[in-house]
Coordinates of all heavy atoms in Angstrom, one line a residue:
V1 N -1.4 0.8 -13.3 CA -2.5 -0.2 -13.2 C -3.8 0.5 -13.0 O -4.0 1.3 -12.0 CB -2.2 -1.2 -12.1 CG1 -3.3 -2.2 -12.0 CG2 -0.9 -1.9 -12.3
Y2 N -4.7 0.3 -13.9 CA -6.0 1.1 -13.9 C -7.2 0.1 -14.0 O -7.1 -1.0 -14.6 CB -6.1 2.0 -15.1 CG -5.0 3.1 -15.2 CD1 -3.9 2.9 -15.9 CD2 -5.1 4.2 -14.4 CE1 -2.9 3.9 -15.9 CE2 -4.1 5.2 -14.4 CZ -3.0 5.0 -15.2 OH -2.0 6.0 -15.2
P3 N -8.3 0.5 -13.4 CA -9.5 -0.3 -13.5 C -10.3 -0.1 -14.8 O -10.3 1.0 -15.4 CB -10.4 0.2 -12.3 CG -10.0 1.6 -12.2 CD -8.5 1.7 -12.6
F4 N -10.9 -1.2 -15.3 CA -11.6 -1.1 -16.6 C -12.9 -1.9 -16.4 O -13.0 -2.8 -15.5 CB -10.8 -1.8 -17.7 CG -9.7 -1.0 -18.2 CD1 -8.4 -1.2 -17.5 CD2 -9.8 0.0 -19.2 CE1 -7.3 -0.4 -17.9 CE2 -8.7 0.7 -19.5 CZ -7.4 0.5 -18.9
R5 N -13.9 -1.7 -17.2 CA -15.2 -2.4 -17.2 C -15.5 -2.9 -18.6 O -15.5 -2.1 -19.5 CB -16.3 -1.5 -16.7 CG -17.7 -2.0 -16.8 CD -18.1 -2.9 -15.7 NE -18.2 -2.2 -14.4 CZ -18.3 -2.7 -13.3 NH1 -18.5 -4.0 -13.2 NH2 -18.3 -2.0 -12.2
C6 N -15.7 -4.2 -18.7 CA -16.1 -4.8 -20.0 C -17.5 -4.4 -20.4 O -18.4 -4.5 -19.6 CB -16.0 -6.3 -20.0 SG -16.4 -7.1 -21.5
Q7 N -17.6 -3.9 -21.6 CA -19.0 -3.5 -22.1 C -19.8 -4.6 -22.5 O -21.0 -4.4 -22.8 CB -18.8 -2.5 -23.2 CG -18.0 -1.2 -22.8 CD -18.8 -0.4 -21.8 OE1 -19.8 0.1 -22.0 NE2 -18.2 -0.4 -20.6
V8 N -19.3 -5.8 -22.6 CA -20.0 -7.0 -23.0 C -20.5 -7.8 -21.8 O -21.7 -8.0 -21.6 CB -19.2 -7.8 -24.0 CG1 -20.0 -9.1 -24.4 CG2 -18.9 -7.0 -25.2
C9 N -19.5 -8.3 -21.1 CA -19.9 -9.2 -19.9 C -20.0 -8.5 -18.6 O -20.3 -9.1 -17.6 CB -18.9 -10.4 -19.8 SG -17.3 -9.9 -19.2
T10 N -19.7 -7.2 -18.6 CA -19.8 -6.3 -17.4 C -18.7 -6.5 -16.3 O -18.8 -5.9 -15.3 CB -21.2 -6.2 -16.8 OG1 -21.4 -7.4 -16.1 CG2 -22.2 -6.0 -17.9
Y11 N -17.7 -7.4 -16.6 CA -16.7 -7.7 -15.6 C -15.8 -6.5 -15.4 O -15.4 -5.8 -16.3 CB -15.9 -8.9 -16.2 CG -14.9 -9.4 -15.2 CD1 -15.2 -9.9 -14.0 CD2 -13.5 -9.4 -15.6 CE1 -14.2 -10.5 -13.1 CE2 -12.5 -9.9 -14.7 CZ -12.9 -10.4 -13.5 OH -11.9 -10.9 -12.6
R12 N -15.5 -6.2 -14.1 CA -14.6 -5.1 -13.8 C -13.3 -5.7 -13.4 O -13.2 -6.7 -12.6 CB -15.2 -4.3 -12.6 CG -14.3 -3.1 -12.3 CD -15.0 -2.2 -11.1 NE -14.4 -1.0 -10.9 CZ -13.3 -0.7 -10.2 NH1 -12.7 -1.8 -9.6 NH2 -12.8 0.5 -10.1
F13 N -12.2 -5.2 -14.0 CA -10.9 -5.7 -13.8 C -9.8 -4.6 -13.8 O -10.1 -3.5 -14.2 CB -10.6 -6.8 -14.8 CG -10.5 -6.3 -16.2 CD1 -9.4 -5.9 -16.8 CD2 -11.7 -6.2 -16.9 CE1 -9.4 -5.4 -18.1 CE2 -11.7 -5.7 -18.2 CZ -10.5 -5.3 -18.8
R14 N -8.6 -4.9 -13.5 CA -7.5 -4.0 -13.5 C -6.5 -4.5 -14.6 O -6.3 -5.7 -14.8 CB -6.8 -3.9 -12.2 CG -7.7 -3.3 -11.1 CD -6.9 -3.2 -9.8 NE -7.9 -2.9 -8.7 CZ -8.0 -3.8 -7.7 NH1 -7.4 -4.9 -7.7 NH2 -8.9 -3.5 -6.8
A15 N -5.9 -3.5 -15.3 CA -4.9 -3.9 -16.3 C -3.8 -2.9 -16.2 O -3.9 -1.7 -15.9 CB -5.6 -3.8 -17.7
W16 N -2.6 -3.5 -16.5 CA -1.3 -2.7 -16.5 C -1.2 -2.0 -17.9 O -1.2 -2.7 -18.9 CB -0.2 -3.6 -16.2 CG 1.2 -2.9 -16.1 CD1 1.4 -1.8 -15.4 CD2 2.4 -3.3 -16.7 NE1 2.8 -1.5 -15.5 CE2 3.4 -2.4 -16.3 CE3 2.8 -4.4 -17.6 CZ2 4.7 -2.5 -16.7 CZ3 4.0 -4.5 -18.0 CH2 5.0 -3.5 -17.5
R17 N -1.1 -0.8 -17.9 CA -1.0 0.0 -19.1 C 0.3 0.9 -19.0 O 0.3 2.1 -18.8 CB -2.2 1.0 -19.2 CG -3.5 0.3 -19.2 CD -3.8 -0.6 -20.4 NE -3.9 0.3 -21.5 CZ -3.5 0.1 -22.8 NH1 -3.0 -1.1 -23.0 NH2 -3.6 1.0 -23.7
P18 N 1.5 0.2 -19.2 CA 2.8 0.9 -19.0 C 2.9 2.1 -19.9 O 2.6 2.0 -21.1 CB 3.8 -0.2 -19.4 CG 3.1 -1.2 -20.1 CD 1.7 -1.2 -19.7
G19 N 3.3 3.2 -19.3 CA 3.5 4.4 -20.1 C 2.3 5.2 -20.4 O 2.3 6.3 -20.9
T20 N 1.1 4.7 -20.0 CA -0.2 5.4 -20.2 C -0.6 6.1 -18.9 O -0.8 5.4 -17.9 CB -1.2 4.4 -20.7 OG1 -0.8 3.7 -21.9 CG2 -2.5 5.1 -21.0
R21 N -0.9 7.4 -19.0 CA -1.5 8.1 -17.9 C -2.9 8.5 -18.3 O -3.1 9.1 -19.3 CB -0.6 9.3 -17.6 CG 0.6 9.0 -16.8 CD 0.3 8.7 -15.4 NE 1.6 8.4 -14.7 CZ 1.7 7.5 -13.8 NH1 0.6 6.8 -13.4 NH2 2.9 7.2 -13.2
Y22 N -3.8 8.2 -17.5 CA -5.2 8.6 -17.7 C -5.5 9.8 -16.8 O -5.1 9.8 -15.6 CB -6.2 7.5 -17.4 CG -6.1 6.3 -18.3 CD1 -5.4 5.2 -18.0 CD2 -6.8 6.4 -19.5 CE1 -5.4 4.1 -18.9 CE2 -6.7 5.4 -20.4 CZ -6.0 4.2 -20.1 OH -5.9 3.2 -21.0
S23 N -6.1 10.8 -17.4 CA -6.4 12.0 -16.6 C -7.6 11.7 -15.7 O -8.4 10.7 -16.0 CB -6.7 13.2 -17.4 OG -7.8 12.9 -18.3
R24 N -7.9 12.5 -14.7 CA -9.0 12.3 -13.9 C -10.3 12.3 -14.8 O -10.4 13.2 -15.7 CB -9.1 13.4 -12.9 CG -10.0 13.1 -11.7 CD -9.8 14.2 -10.7 NE -8.6 13.8 -9.9 CZ -8.6 13.7 -8.6 NH1 -9.6 14.0 -7.9 NH2 -7.5 13.3 -8.0
Q25 N -11.2 11.5 -14.5 CA -12.4 11.4 -15.4 C -13.4 12.5 -15.1 O -13.4 13.1 -14.1 CB -13.1 10.0 -15.2 CG -12.2 8.9 -15.7 CD -12.9 7.6 -15.7 OE1 -13.8 7.4 -15.0 NE2 -12.4 6.7 -16.5
S26 N -14.1 12.8 -16.2 CA -15.1 13.9 -16.1 C -16.2 13.6 -15.1 O -16.2 12.5 -14.5 CB -15.7 14.1 -17.5 OG -16.5 13.0 -17.8
D27 N -17.2 14.5 -15.0 CA -18.3 14.3 -14.1 C -19.2 13.1 -14.4 O -19.9 12.6 -13.6 CB -19.1 15.5 -14.0 CG -18.4 16.7 -13.3 OD1 -17.4 16.4 -12.5 OD2 -18.7 17.8 -13.5
D28 N -19.1 12.7 -15.7 CA -19.9 11.5 -16.1 C -19.3 10.3 -15.6 O -18.2 9.8 -16.1 CB -20.0 11.5 -17.7 CG -20.9 10.4 -18.2 OD1 -21.5 9.6 -17.3 OD2 -21.1 10.3 -19.4
R29 N -19.9 9.7 -14.6 CA -19.3 8.5 -14.0 C -19.8 7.2 -14.5 O -19.6 6.2 -13.9 CB -19.5 8.6 -12.5 CG -18.8 9.8 -11.8 CD -19.2 9.9 -10.4 NE -20.6 10.1 -10.3 CZ -21.3 10.1 -9.2 NH1 -20.8 9.9 -8.1 NH2 -22.6 10.3 -9.2
R30 N -20.5 7.2 -15.6 CA -21.1 6.0 -16.2 C -20.0 5.0 -16.5 O -19.0 5.4 -17.1 CB -21.9 6.3 -17.4 CG -23.1 7.1 -17.1 CD -23.9 7.4 -18.4 NE -25.1 8.1 -18.1 CZ -25.6 9.0 -18.9 NH1 -25.0 9.4 -20.0 NH2 -26.7 9.6 -18.5

């Protein structure tokens, strides 16, 4: 379960992405 940000309405939410691993994000925190 990972956090996401909508690029249109700017809503921040969490979504279940089974089997998907996201690596730690780069220094760009935008």
